[in-house]
Amino acid sequence: KGPEEITPRVPFPPPPPPTHPPTSSHPLFSRSPDPVAQSRAMSTDSPHENTHRQTGEPQTDSIPEKKELSPPTETSPVLIVGLCFAVALIAVIFISMNFPPFTEEQQAKIKMPRSVADVQDLASVMKEYQDDYWWTVLLAYSLYYIFLQTFSIPGSIFLSFLGGTLFGLPLGVALVCALSACGASGAFYLSTIFGRGLLEKYFPDKTKFLARQVQEHKDNLFNYFLFLRLSPLLPNWFVNIASPVVRVPIKVFWFGTFFGVSVQTFIAVKAGLTLHEITEPSEVLNLNVFFSLLLLSILSLLPTKFGQKFIREILLREKTD
């Protein structure tokens, strides 16, 4: 056989060139640029691409600089607390303006008490109107007390004296304890707005210590909070502000405050029954009361650590026997 004939490979024909619309002056074939499409295309391009497109410079892979956006405006905590204070103050003024008419001599005695003498003058006026306007006196007294407690304004001890004079011992003690718990709860909720920043700036060590103690006593948190209220070592305003920050539940806070202030409330309200015999608050809240509260606060810790240790020892003895 002879050599096979090799047929040369014919290359594939190149694709036909793209057909462009005929450039004709006829309106059917003429295409005018769409302004909407051009604007969309320009808007999708970045500013650098538009610049390169206009100037004819070669496009680079540089990342466009982001414009710094201004942070969203947030309501200042100070503004919120200021608004709450203004609303509460307006409510207090409104109640004061709707009291029955007073004489000029009586009007001079109606003011926020700052001494035992002021309490005596205010009590003399309120006792005259209490028979006919009992609910008005009760509402005004409650609102004033909660206002002082919520914003940690000094002077609630004098209102406790006044509560004993106006409402007697049983009702006065229950009322003052409830108002103390409600006013402290107002400070509790206000602290959720500004308390964390304030404590981290001015009382960081004390707040961290309190947070550790709350975590350690989480199984008996009510007893530990009762200790905080009974103990005269920590100021009440600090406990009010720090409680939401260290995760104290509001139920534990309210009832712990109600029962925690009952001892000093009983002493102050009882002193209000003999208000004419008192000249200074130190005659009522003296060193004896201080050490009594300290002893009660230590006893309140018995169910937490000492009590649990005592129970464990009893159980171990029973097992060994």
Side-chain angles (χ1 to χ4, degrees), residues 21-45:
T23 57
S24 173
S25 61
H26 196 277
L28 186 62
F29 298 101
S30 62
R31 290 187 179 180
S32 59
D34 189 4
V36 177
Q38 284 186 351
S39 62
R40 288 179 180 175
M42 293 293 290
S43 62
T44 56
D45 295 338

Short mmCIF file of all heavy atoms in Angstrom, two decimals, residues 21-45:
data_model
loop_
_atom_site.label_atom_id
_atom_site.label_comp_id
_atom_site.label_asym_id
_atom_site.label_seq_id
_atom_site.Cartn_x
_atom_site.Cartn_y
_atom_site.Cartn_z
N PRO A 21 -25.68 48.87 14.02
CA PRO A 21 -26.83 49.47 13.33
C PRO A 21 -26.35 50.46 12.30
O PRO A 21 -25.34 51.14 12.47
CB PRO A 21 -27.59 50.16 14.47
CG PRO A 21 -26.61 50.38 15.54
CD PRO A 21 -25.63 49.24 15.44
N PRO A 22 -27.03 50.43 11.24
CA PRO A 22 -26.62 51.35 10.17
C PRO A 22 -26.71 52.78 10.60
O PRO A 22 -27.63 53.19 11.30
CB PRO A 22 -27.61 51.05 9.04
CG PRO A 22 -28.81 50.48 9.73
CD PRO A 22 -28.30 49.73 10.92
N THR A 23 -25.65 53.44 10.26
CA THR A 23 -25.64 54.87 10.58
C THR A 23 -26.40 55.60 9.51
O THR A 23 -25.88 55.94 8.46
CB THR A 23 -24.19 55.38 10.65
OG1 THR A 23 -23.56 55.09 9.41
CG2 THR A 23 -23.44 54.67 11.78
N SER A 24 -27.58 55.77 9.81
CA SER A 24 -28.44 56.43 8.83
C SER A 24 -29.12 57.58 9.51
O SER A 24 -29.31 57.60 10.71
CB SER A 24 -29.48 55.44 8.28
OG SER A 24 -30.40 56.11 7.45
N SER A 25 -29.46 58.49 8.72
CA SER A 25 -30.15 59.66 9.25
C SER A 25 -31.62 59.42 9.43
O SER A 25 -32.34 60.29 9.92
CB SER A 25 -29.94 60.85 8.30
OG SER A 25 -30.49 60.53 7.02
N HIS A 26 -32.05 58.22 9.05
CA HIS A 26 -33.47 57.93 9.21
C HIS A 26 -33.80 57.82 10.69
O HIS A 26 -33.07 57.19 11.45
CB HIS A 26 -33.80 56.62 8.49
CG HIS A 26 -35.29 56.45 8.28
ND1 HIS A 26 -36.12 55.96 9.24
CD2 HIS A 26 -36.07 56.73 7.18
CE1 HIS A 26 -37.37 55.91 8.78
NE2 HIS A 26 -37.35 56.37 7.52
N PRO A 27 -34.89 58.40 11.18
CA PRO A 27 -35.18 58.37 12.62
C PRO A 27 -35.39 56.98 13.16
O PRO A 27 -35.25 56.73 14.34
CB PRO A 27 -36.44 59.23 12.74
CG PRO A 27 -37.05 59.22 11.39
CD PRO A 27 -35.90 59.13 10.42
N LEU A 28 -35.71 56.00 12.34
CA LEU A 28 -35.93 54.64 12.82
C LEU A 28 -34.65 53.97 13.23
O LEU A 28 -34.63 53.12 14.08
CB LEU A 28 -36.62 53.82 11.71
CG LEU A 28 -37.06 52.40 12.08
CD1 LEU A 28 -38.09 52.47 13.19
CD2 LEU A 28 -37.62 51.68 10.86
N PHE A 29 -33.53 54.33 12.55
CA PHE A 29 -32.25 53.71 12.85
C PHE A 29 -31.35 54.56 13.74
O PHE A 29 -30.32 54.10 14.20
CB PHE A 29 -31.50 53.40 11.53
CG PHE A 29 -32.24 52.42 10.66
CD1 PHE A 29 -32.96 52.88 9.58
CD2 PHE A 29 -32.21 51.08 10.93
CE1 PHE A 29 -33.65 51.97 8.76
CE2 PHE A 29 -32.89 50.18 10.13
CZ PHE A 29 -33.62 50.61 9.05
N SER A 30 -31.67 55.78 13.95
CA SER A 30 -30.81 56.64 14.79
C SER A 30 -31.12 56.39 16.26
O SER A 30 -32.28 56.35 16.64
CB SER A 30 -31.05 58.11 14.44
OG SER A 30 -32.39 58.47 14.71
N ARG A 31 -30.05 56.21 17.04
CA ARG A 31 -30.19 55.97 18.49
C ARG A 31 -29.60 57.15 19.25
O ARG A 31 -28.40 57.36 19.19
CB ARG A 31 -29.45 54.70 18.92
CG ARG A 31 -30.13 53.43 18.40
CD ARG A 31 -29.43 52.23 19.01
NE ARG A 31 -30.04 51.00 18.58
CZ ARG A 31 -29.64 49.78 18.94
NH1 ARG A 31 -28.58 49.68 19.73
NH2 ARG A 31 -30.24 48.70 18.50
N SER A 32 -30.46 57.81 19.93
CA SER A 32 -29.99 58.92 20.77
C SER A 32 -29.66 58.38 22.16
O SER A 32 -30.30 57.46 22.64
CB SER A 32 -31.06 60.01 20.88
OG SER A 32 -32.24 59.46 21.44
N PRO A 33 -28.65 58.89 22.78
CA PRO A 33 -28.27 58.40 24.13
C PRO A 33 -29.39 58.62 25.14
O PRO A 33 -30.03 59.67 25.16
CB PRO A 33 -27.03 59.21 24.49
CG PRO A 33 -27.10 60.43 23.63
CD PRO A 33 -27.78 60.02 22.35
N ASP A 34 -29.63 57.55 25.93
CA ASP A 34 -30.68 57.63 26.96
C ASP A 34 -30.14 58.37 28.19
O ASP A 34 -29.21 57.90 28.85
CB ASP A 34 -31.10 56.22 27.36
CG ASP A 34 -32.33 56.22 28.26
OD1 ASP A 34 -32.88 57.32 28.51
OD2 ASP A 34 -32.71 55.14 28.73
N PRO A 35 -30.70 59.53 28.54
CA PRO A 35 -30.16 60.28 29.68
C PRO A 35 -30.37 59.54 31.01
O PRO A 35 -29.57 59.64 31.93
CB PRO A 35 -30.93 61.61 29.65
CG PRO A 35 -32.16 61.31 28.87
CD PRO A 35 -31.79 60.25 27.87
N VAL A 36 -31.46 58.77 31.15
CA VAL A 36 -31.70 58.05 32.39
C VAL A 36 -30.67 56.96 32.60
O VAL A 36 -30.12 56.76 33.68
CB VAL A 36 -33.13 57.47 32.38
CG1 VAL A 36 -33.38 56.64 33.65
CG2 VAL A 36 -34.15 58.56 32.23
N ALA A 37 -30.38 56.21 31.49
CA ALA A 37 -29.37 55.15 31.58
C ALA A 37 -27.99 55.73 31.89
O ALA A 37 -27.21 55.16 32.66
CB ALA A 37 -29.33 54.36 30.27
N GLN A 38 -27.69 56.90 31.28
CA GLN A 38 -26.39 57.50 31.56
C GLN A 38 -26.28 57.95 33.01
O GLN A 38 -25.24 57.79 33.65
CB GLN A 38 -26.17 58.71 30.63
CG GLN A 38 -25.81 58.31 29.20
CD GLN A 38 -25.46 59.53 28.37
OE1 GLN A 38 -25.65 60.65 28.84
NE2 GLN A 38 -24.97 59.31 27.19
N SER A 39 -27.35 58.50 33.55
CA SER A 39 -27.30 58.95 34.94
C SER A 39 -27.16 57.77 35.90
O SER A 39 -26.46 57.83 36.90
CB SER A 39 -28.56 59.76 35.28
OG SER A 39 -29.71 58.94 35.16
N ARG A 40 -27.84 56.65 35.57
CA ARG A 40 -27.70 55.46 36.42
C ARG A 40 -26.28 54.92 36.36
O ARG A 40 -25.71 54.50 37.38
CB ARG A 40 -28.69 54.39 35.97
CG ARG A 40 -30.13 54.72 36.31
CD ARG A 40 -31.05 53.62 35.80
NE ARG A 40 -32.43 53.94 36.13
CZ ARG A 40 -33.48 53.21 35.72
NH1 ARG A 40 -33.27 52.13 34.97
NH2 ARG A 40 -34.69 53.55 36.05
N ALA A 41 -25.72 54.87 35.18
CA ALA A 41 -24.36 54.37 35.04
C ALA A 41 -23.37 55.25 35.78
O ALA A 41 -22.43 54.78 36.42
CB ALA A 41 -23.97 54.27 33.56
N MET A 42 -23.57 56.56 35.70
CA MET A 42 -22.67 57.47 36.40
C MET A 42 -22.82 57.35 37.90
O MET A 42 -21.87 57.51 38.65
CB MET A 42 -22.94 58.92 35.95
CG MET A 42 -22.59 59.19 34.49
SD MET A 42 -20.81 59.08 34.20
CE MET A 42 -20.27 60.54 35.08
N SER A 43 -24.07 57.07 38.36
CA SER A 43 -24.27 56.98 39.80
C SER A 43 -23.68 55.72 40.37
O SER A 43 -23.27 55.67 41.52
CB SER A 43 -25.78 57.04 40.13
OG SER A 43 -26.43 55.93 39.53
N THR A 44 -23.64 54.62 39.59
CA THR A 44 -23.06 53.37 40.09
C THR A 44 -21.56 53.42 40.12
O THR A 44 -20.92 52.65 40.83
CB THR A 44 -23.51 52.20 39.20
OG1 THR A 44 -23.15 52.48 37.84
CG2 THR A 44 -25.01 51.98 39.31
N ASP A 45 -20.95 54.27 39.32
CA ASP A 45 -19.49 54.38 39.34
C ASP A 45 -19.04 55.11 40.57
O ASP A 45 -19.73 55.98 41.10
CB ASP A 45 -19.00 55.10 38.09
CG ASP A 45 -19.31 54.29 36.83
OD1 ASP A 45 -19.49 53.05 36.96
OD2 ASP A 45 -19.39 54.89 35.76
#
